[in-house]
């Protein structure tokens, strides 16, 4: 039996799930398939920022920065549990960029955004008189402070998928689109799950949101011609034990005119990144190399009194950014904007998504559905920019929620309450269930991970392995040792056998 749908979205990263959510919210029937886990590639390997992109001003990407800043405000409202404000410190080095240039850039950054702005503006600070100057070497007398936001990137993807499903979409993970061919006014697609089961779908429109595989999908799966190429750029990050005690992040200028961030991470660590390296390998398996690790260590050692070496790295990750190939010289100068290519001359519409960045995914999705929906007879207006919260985001302050969780559950530790509130928001009560003690949460795998949370992730968030839980739905892999991870893997194996 061939299933009939309005829209088939191929790709379970941030763009694919964003498009699925927007489309189903307008009344279209939507299926989404992802060959691996949700956010298992580029969308979980970012610098974890919702930001306008201060450095893009030097490339005169004013429209992109303005669009991203407007999106920052929307995302802060709809997902306050996984996106929150973060102040950044830029120590000044006059031989890299003069102070007037930085002040002008920050003035533009403060004012390019139209409409409501909830975050405080930028200002100049004397580093010797401010706590943010204490970790820095004495050669930096002044700096600049500005606002952006932090995000749990993989969770942003999952929450979009959850909301899409709650509105009627179907999301299939570990399911590859193995073929797609036009047949009159439909796309006939074959979807094959990891267990070999094949489902045939007839879709009135097809979205290629496969990220680094977008060109391969056209060449090998859909057999469609195209005029655009992708430039694959590897970005790598390292995580080290916490380098300072306050909650500010740093943005460090480098001699090659690139920038590197140092960001408070998981309360006990500092995240450092990113690199921009041309990549020609398998997008599914990028790895940081020794040169990248050395580059990131050197980048922060130019600024911090406390130096780091590669042996300090407790975790690293790399992702491949599928950027539009615009013939730019350096990888760091390739545009982070996106292109939506709609092809309908030969029958059923095909929308290809090229490029993009995490911050602008919602706008990309809105524009994609604005173009597709009328072709499917749908005239419903755009809706995702009007403040509809993502699952768990119907709260004002995750810190206050953490206090409320502890007030009703005195046995809940401060750190655990904080993590639950900043991971699940109002859904935290479903994670905890009716437990009256820590023992009531079931098997303990280490840190503050218990079976009740794992069961929630299995049931509602497509978690199918220990890795899904430890490195995408959460970052508890940094806190749980090998023995706990092994027991978690055994728990999943047992659960799979019972299903």
């Amino acid at each position: 039996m061939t299933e009939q749908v309005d829209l088939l979205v191929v790709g379970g990263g941030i763009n694919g799930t964003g498009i699925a959510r927007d489309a189903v919210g307008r009344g279209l029937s939507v299926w989404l398939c992802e060959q691996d886990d949700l956010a298992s590639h580029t969308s979980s390997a970012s610098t974890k920022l919702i930001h306008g992109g201060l450095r893009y001003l030097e490339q005169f990407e004013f429209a992109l920065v303005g669009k991203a800043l407007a999106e920052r405000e929307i995302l802060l409202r709809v997902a306050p549990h996984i996106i929150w404000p973060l102040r950044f410190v830029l120590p000044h080095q006059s031989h890299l960029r003069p102070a007037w240039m930085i002040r002008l850039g920050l003035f533009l950054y403060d004012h390019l955004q139209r409409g409501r702005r909830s975050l405080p503006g930028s200002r100049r600070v004397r580093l010797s008189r401010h706590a943010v100057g204490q970790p820095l070497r004495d050669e930096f007398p002044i700096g600049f402070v500005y606002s952006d936001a932090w995000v749990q990137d993989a969770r942003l993807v999952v929450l979009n998928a959850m909301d899409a499903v709650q509105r009627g979409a179907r999301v299939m993970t570990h399911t590859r689109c193995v073929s797609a061919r036009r047949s009159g006014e439909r796309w006939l697609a074959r979807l094959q799950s990891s267990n070999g089961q094949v489902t045939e779908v007839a879709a009135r429109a097809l979205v290629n949101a496969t990220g680094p595989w977008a060109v391969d999908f056209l060449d090998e799966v859909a057999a469609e011609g195209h005029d655009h190429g992708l430039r694959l750029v590897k970005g790598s990050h390292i995580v080290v034990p916490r380098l300072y005690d306050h909650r500010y992040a740093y943005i460090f200028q480098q001699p090659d005119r690139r920038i590197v961030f140092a960001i408070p991470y998981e309360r006990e660590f500092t995240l450092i990144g990113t690199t921009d390296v041309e990549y020609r390998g398998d997008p599914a398996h990028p790895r940081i190399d020794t040169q990248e690790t050395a580059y990131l260590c050197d980048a922060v050692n130019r600024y911090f009194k406390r130096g780091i070496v590669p042996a300090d790295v407790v975790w690293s990750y790399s992702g491949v950014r599928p950027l539009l190939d615009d013939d730019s010289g350096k990888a760091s100068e390739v545009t982070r904007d996106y292109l939506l290519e709609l092809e309908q001359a030969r029958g059923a519409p095909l929308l290809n998504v090229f490029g993009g960045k995490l911050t602008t995914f919602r706008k990309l999705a809105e524009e994609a559905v604005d173009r597709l929906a009328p072709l499917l007879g749908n005239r419903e207006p755009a809706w995702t920019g009007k403040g509809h919260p993502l699952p768990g985001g119907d709260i004002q302050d995750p810190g206050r929620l953490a206090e409320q969780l502890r007030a009703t559950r005195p046995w809940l530790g401060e750190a655990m309450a904080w993590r639950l509130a900043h991971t699940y928001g109002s859904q935290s009560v479903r994670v905890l269930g009716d437990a009256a003690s820590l023992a009531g949460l079931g098997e303990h795998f280490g840190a503050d991970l218990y079976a009740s949370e794992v069961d929630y992730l299995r049931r509602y968030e497509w978690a199918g392995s220990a890795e899904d839980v430890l490195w995408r739905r959460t970052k508890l892999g940094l806190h749980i040792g090998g023995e706990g991870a092994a027991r978690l893997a055994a728990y999943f194996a047992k659960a799979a056998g019972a299903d």
Side-chain angles (χ1 to χ4, degrees), residues 14 17 21 38 78-79 81-82 152-166 389-393 423-425 427 456 461-462:
I14 190 59
T17 56
R21 175 185 183 241
L38 295 172
V78 303
H81 52 321
I82 63 164
Q152 297 191 56
D153 52 4
R155 291 207 58 74
L156 183 62
V157 176
V158 170
L159 296 185
N160 273 274
M162 289 177 66
D163 198 47
V165 167
Q166 290 172 11
L390 288 168
T423 302
Y424 304 103
Q427 298 294 308
Y456 172 88
E461 296 195 9
W462 297 274

Side-chain angles (χ1 to χ4, degrees), residues 245-438:
D245 293 331
H246 58 73
R247 297 300 300 169
Y248 285 74
Y250 291 90
I251 176 172
F252 294 146
Q253 304 172 88
Q254 301 304 312
D256 59 4
R257 299 190 67 81
R258 295 203 62 255
I259 57 96
V260 168
F261 293 100
I263 303 170
Y265 193 61
E266 289 290 304
R267 307 188 103 188
E268 299 176 19
F269 303 94
T270 300
L271 172 66
I272 300 165
T274 181
T275 60
D276 277 311
V277 179
E278 298 284 354
Y279 187 74
R280 292 179 175 83
D282 183 354
H285 302 291
R287 295 288 186 271
I288 193 170
D289 59 36
T290 56
Q291 290 82 6
E292 289 177 286
T293 300
Y295 177 89
L296 294 174
C297 289
D298 291 344
V300 298
N301 290 344
R302 292 186 180 98
Y303 287 85
F304 284 140
K305 295 173 183 175
R306 175 184 169 186
I308 60 171
V309 296
D312 294 320
V313 176
V314 298
W315 182 52
S316 65
Y317 63 91
S318 300
V320 177
R321 304 185 187 103
L323 305 180
L324 275 171
D325 192 351
D326 59 1
D327 297 321
S328 298
K330 295 180 180 179
S332 60
E333 295 174 354
V334 184
T335 181
R336 267 52 175 178
D337 211 346
Y338 54 81
L339 173 69
L340 301 176
E341 181 185 67
L342 180 61
E343 199 282 297
Q344 62 183 103
R346 294 189 294 276
L350 167 66
L351 183 77
N352 296 306
V353 180
F354 296 108
K357 62 195 296 274
L358 191 71
T359 304
T360 53
F361 87 90
R362 190 211 63 84
K363 189 63 176 176
L364 179 154
E366 182 177 86
E367 292 177 8
V369 183
D370 281 347
R371 298 181 67 180
L372 280 172
L375 303 178
L376 305 177
N378 183 289
R379 302 287 178 179
E380 292 298 315
W383 64 279
T384 60
K386 298 179 180 179
H388 298 277
L390 288 168
D394 51 341
I395 60 172
Q396 295 295 320
D397 179 3
R400 183 175 301 175
L401 173 62
E403 295 175 357
Q404 294 170 350
L405 290 174
R406 293 199 72 200
T408 55
R409 300 165 179 82
W411 43 269
L412 199 61
E414 183 274 334
M416 184 175 180
W418 187 96
R419 185 182 68 81
L420 292 175
H422 287 81
T423 302
Y424 304 103
S426 61
Q427 298 294 308
S428 298
V429 294
R430 300 183 74 177
V431 173
L432 294 169
D434 58 1
S437 66
L438 286 175

Side-chain angles (χ1 to χ4, degrees), residues 197-251:
Q197 181 178 350
V198 174
T199 303
E200 294 186 346
V201 182
R204 297 172 64 200
L206 178 67
V207 173
N208 169 18
T210 56
W213 292 272
V215 170
D216 291 343
F217 179 84
L218 292 173
D219 291 340
E220 300 170 11
V221 179
E224 287 286 321
H226 54 88
D227 298 324
H228 302 286
L230 289 177
R231 190 167 177 178
L232 302 185
V233 176
K234 181 176 64 167
S236 296
H237 300 75
I238 60 174
V239 176
V240 299
R242 187 172 58 194
L243 296 175
Y244 53 89
D245 293 331
H246 58 73
R247 297 300 300 169
Y248 285 74
Y250 291 90
I251 176 172

Side-chain angles (χ1 to χ4, degrees), residues 442-490:
E443 184 176 352
H444 182 217
F445 299 101
D448 55 24
L449 180 65
Y450 291 82
S452 63
E453 183 174 354
V454 176
D455 292 343
Y456 172 88
L457 293 172
R458 290 184 62 249
R459 181 174 182 182
Y460 298 107
E461 296 195 9
W462 297 274
S465 70
E467 182 180 1
D468 294 349
V469 171
L470 297 179
W471 297 111
R472 282 186 286 277
R473 306 306 185 277
T474 75
K475 292 298 182 288
L476 288 171
L478 287 166
H479 308 279
I480 291 178
E483 188 271 336
R487 286 194 292 107
L488 179 60

